[in-house]
Amino acid sequence: MTLKGFSGAVSVNNPRDKLVFDGINSNKERSMGAEASQKVIFRRKPSVSVSVLLISLVLLQITAATVGEPKSDLQGKREDLFSSTSKLEDLVEHELQIVELLETFVDYTVNRANIVKSYIKSQKQFLLSGRSHPREIVGHPVDAYLLVRRLTADWEDVQLSLQAISNYSTGVSNWIEGFRKGTNFPQADDLNGAAQALVRLQDTYQLDMPSLAQGNVMPSQQLSAENEQAFKSTSQLSARDMLFMGRHALSQGLYHRAIDWLQHAEILANNEHNSSVVLSEISPSLQNAIEAHDDVLERQGPRGVSWKTNPIPINPELANSAKYSLNTSTTFHVKLYQRQTEEEEAEHFLRLCRGENIRPPVLTAALKCRLKRDSSPYLLISPLKIEEQSHDPYVVIVHDFITNSQADEIIKLGKPKLFRSRHRHHQDEVMDVVSHKRVSQNAWIKDWEHPLMNKITRRVHLVTGLKAIQPKEAEDYQIANYGLGGLYVPHTDHLMNNPDKSIYSPWERFVGDRIATLMIYLSDVDAGGATVFTRAGITLWPEKGAAAFWWNLDKSGIGDDNTRHGACPVLHGNKWVSNKWIRFNEQFRTASCGRHPLDKHKRP
């Protein structure tokens, strides 16, 4: 069996390996609808008299779920679920409906099974009465009567119970199948995406493996008595789960992490007494990971764009060789305000996500917090709370940009429209693609769709001094919700980097590049989820109601590559943001050109 993920496939050699998750071994591709069927609540412990009614309701529900509902676009093209915590929240409600129905089914089945059990008990008592021959049994008139009664009236009750259980079971099974088809339920690719997210989180935040297996996602150095329970899961990972993670880590080129997962899978399997997986299933995967680890380390070194290993081989014979005994330590060198290789950028990204301060004091000494009262009488009453994060590139946080209730309202507007986020392919600037480089879902809201959005746009103008109302001045609001381990790898918001402008659409050439970005944080994030600028060494932590603002272009209209930034994986909690990208050409009066080609904007 092969479980397909983002970056490849995870091979599962044992055909009975179900990975504890229903449906993973299925080879059928099921089409999914987007509209949930109507909710039917079955009361517990139904009586025999209402069994026919219950089955009828189930069959009616099947009709509503599979026939009466219009077909969704998801049946043609399914959106994944793991890339949005909002979609995962819906799954909780869906599972509760199924669990309630199954609980009712179990209670009903137990009641019917007790009738069958009573019949069996009566028959066995009769046989164990001491009479050794059938003639002795039927020789007594009362025993003969009871025999006939059991095979007539009693047997009719048994037969009705068996039929009721069968009909009820079929009805429940069909209802659940119809409910799954009418609702966007997770499939194998969602499970693979969720596993890859856990592997990504463990590597990004260097989570302690035993602690992670117990369901604690807080880095050990930050763990305290206050947040230990807050960051604790309701259940723990099993040895089979960790085997699954190890195989995914191996497929992503995280060889050292794969070995960690698989070694702890062996430990857990021993502690579980092989209840979820046996050691014989783990050992081959662990051996393959060790061999791949040492082979990659020998041929390619400990780190690259698409792989990571330990600095020393696992094999003792290789580890004792001269080249590993000289100097095995790897030193991180900060490289700011200059071109970075993919490997260097990835290392800066990870360190900034973990909260490391890599900026020299000379760059932060002049940063200030201030109130902005100029440019409008409105600001005299309610000044902007500006916190400077960097002067080059110019990045600020505007605290209390919107209220908490306004943030909740924007989420409410965007949630029904969410779809998987896309990004421009590095080899084709005009092609939008889906990949593990951007794990989130987004939606677009126009200014005129709700009075709140128009009100916020006027505030954008007060903050930035830029035109942002008409389509030629700024884009619609993009609402983004990050999913399990959701992230966006480093990129720039300015898009028109190719000297050949003919490759861009007439509309893009008309409105120009994105001169500035205003990003509103619509939620707090418990852990992780920072916005980091890899070349500038800046880390912005989400704060509900605050807005981050930066200039993407110099005064000459040239893109500033020091604004390369990314969204760190969400470790715990939900992350919602809203972006307003302001276009260049209509700002010729509000954002004037400079006297020098390298002049930069310095407001607000």
Side-chain angles (χ1 to χ4, degrees), residues 407-544:
D408 295 337
E409 183 65 25
I410 295 174
I411 292 175
K412 184 179 178 181
L413 292 172
K415 185 174 180 178
K417 301 181 178 182
L418 289 175
F419 60 94
R420 179 63 192 269
S421 300
R422 288 159 172 78
H423 62 89
R424 295 205 173 188
H425 194 269
H426 68 282
Q427 293 179 344
D428 189 346
E429 296 185 15
V430 296
M431 180 185 295
D432 288 340
V433 297
V434 172
S435 80
H436 64 277
K437 292 182 177 181
R438 189 182 187 186
V439 181
S440 65
Q441 294 195 10
N442 61 41
W444 295 89
I445 303 178
K446 298 182 181 298
D447 286 57
W448 50 262
E449 286 188 45
H450 194 278
L452 173 61
M453 306 314 297
N454 194 267
K455 181 178 180 180
I456 292 175
T457 299
R458 292 197 299 271
R459 192 162 177 82
V460 170
H461 174 69
L462 289 175
V463 171
T464 65
L466 301 174
K467 297 179 179 180
I469 296 179
Q470 299 184 34
K472 63 181 179 179
E473 297 169 350
E475 299 176 33
D476 299 330
Y477 286 92
Q478 184 193 73
I479 314 301
N481 175 226
Y482 289 82
L484 179 58
L487 85 165
Y488 194 178
V489 299
H491 61 282
T492 59
D493 283 351
H494 56 86
L495 305 173
M496 303 174 68
N497 302 313
N498 197 311
D500 181 11
K501 302 304 179 183
S502 64
I503 69 169
Y504 302 111
S505 67
W507 176 254
E508 285 183 301
R509 295 196 300 270
F510 174 69
V511 298
D513 209 343
R514 292 170 172 173
I515 186 174
T517 296
L518 188 133
M519 181 172 66
I520 309 170
Y521 292 107
L522 303 177
S523 66
D524 294 313
V525 180
D526 299 330
T531 306
V532 299
F533 291 73
T534 49
R535 288 198 188 185
I538 308 167
T539 300
L540 310 179
W541 298 103
E543 175 192 331
K544 186 175 182 178

Side-chain angles (χ1 to χ4, degrees), residues 202-264:
Q202 195 270 334
D203 184 61
T204 301
Y205 297 104
Q206 298 180 336
L207 301 178
D208 178 64
M209 185 63 70
S211 181
L212 179 59
Q214 295 172 4
N216 200 320
V217 297
M218 195 65 174
S220 55
Q221 64 271 21
Q222 301 178 27
L223 193 61
S224 64
E226 296 180 357
N227 58 28
E228 184 172 2
Q229 286 303 116
F231 290 90
K232 181 80 172 176
S233 64
T234 56
S235 303
Q236 300 181 7
L237 295 177
S238 67
R240 184 172 296 279
D241 291 320
M242 301 198 78
L243 170 61
F244 192 43
M245 303 300 169
R247 289 169 172 168
H248 270 289
L250 187 62
S251 74
Q252 293 182 67
L254 299 173
Y255 299 99
H256 60 321
R257 302 301 182 195
I259 293 172
D260 285 345
W261 284 101
L262 295 170
Q263 286 177 337
H264 283 85

